[in-house]
Every structure is written in structure tokens, then in C-alpha cells.
Amino acid sequence: MFKAMIIAGCGGFVGTCGRYLVGKWSAGMWHGAFPMGTFAVNLIGCFIIGLLFGLLEKAHVMTPSENVLLITGFCGGFTTFSSFADDMWVLARKATGAHSRYI
């Protein structure tokens, strides 16, 4: 179990770094209130998860360690729900013109 946690953590580190880079790139490309970086990483991440699960289910070409590294670790770090929730909160505050912490 400890080995699987380390493997997932390594994948998560790479996924989180990728999320950060895509977010910075998106902020430079698109200017506006919509969080395009979050949208892009979630769209890309869902596509990658679908491909990996397809390989796992159909061809059985992934080992359990590769599954933990790529799906749980990388894709989990790349497409975090907490970043999505935070970006949606900021977008809602901008849309309503709310200046307080609570809408």
C-alpha cells in the first residue's frame, strides 16, 4: 500500500505541475471572466482518463501500478475538483457583483 501511495503521489505531482502550466498558458491566451484553464484541464483530463480506462478494460495493457500512476495520480492531480469549485465560486462572485466573502 505504501508503494502505491508513493506512485500515486509522483503521478499527482506531475499532474499538478501540468495543471499549473496549462492554467498559466490559458490565462495568457484568453482574457475574460471565464476560467478557461480549468475548463481546458478538465476536458483534457477526462479525455485522457477515458483513453486509459479503455486501454485497461479492452486490451489489459496497463499494470495496477501504471493505473495508480496515470489515472489516480496524474489525472487526479491534473483535474482536481477543488480547483474547479474555486474557479466557479470566483466566476459566480464576478457575475453577481458580490464584494463580500459570501454571496
Side-chain angles (χ1 to χ4, degrees):
M1 182 165 155
F2 185 72
K3 180 182 174 184
M5 287 179 6
I6 297 297
I7 291 170
C10 290
F13 173 77
V14 174
T16 302
C17 291
R19 170 183 266 289
Y20 176 79
L21 293 173
V22 170
K24 287 295 183 187
W25 176 77
S26 295
M29 295 294 291
W30 291 282
H31 304 288
F34 187 77
M36 190 56 78
T38 298
F39 179 73
V41 296
N42 285 319
L43 189 67
I44 294 166
C46 288
F47 181 74
I48 292 170
I49 289 171
L51 286 176
L52 294 175
F53 268 127
L55 288 173
L56 185 63
E57 291 295 317
K58 291 280 189 184
H60 302 287
V61 296
M62 288 177 52
T63 67
S65 292
E66 290 169 335
N67 181 1
V68 169
L69 176 71
L70 297 173
I71 295 174
T72 304
F74 176 78
C75 290
F78 192 66
T79 61
T80 59
F81 184 76
S82 59
S83 293
F84 170 74
D86 182 57
D87 284 346
M88 292 303 107
W89 177 258
V90 170
L91 184 61
R93 288 185 67 210
K94 286 179 182 176
T96 61
H99 296 291
S100 69
R101 182 161 171 83
Y102 306 100
I103 292 180

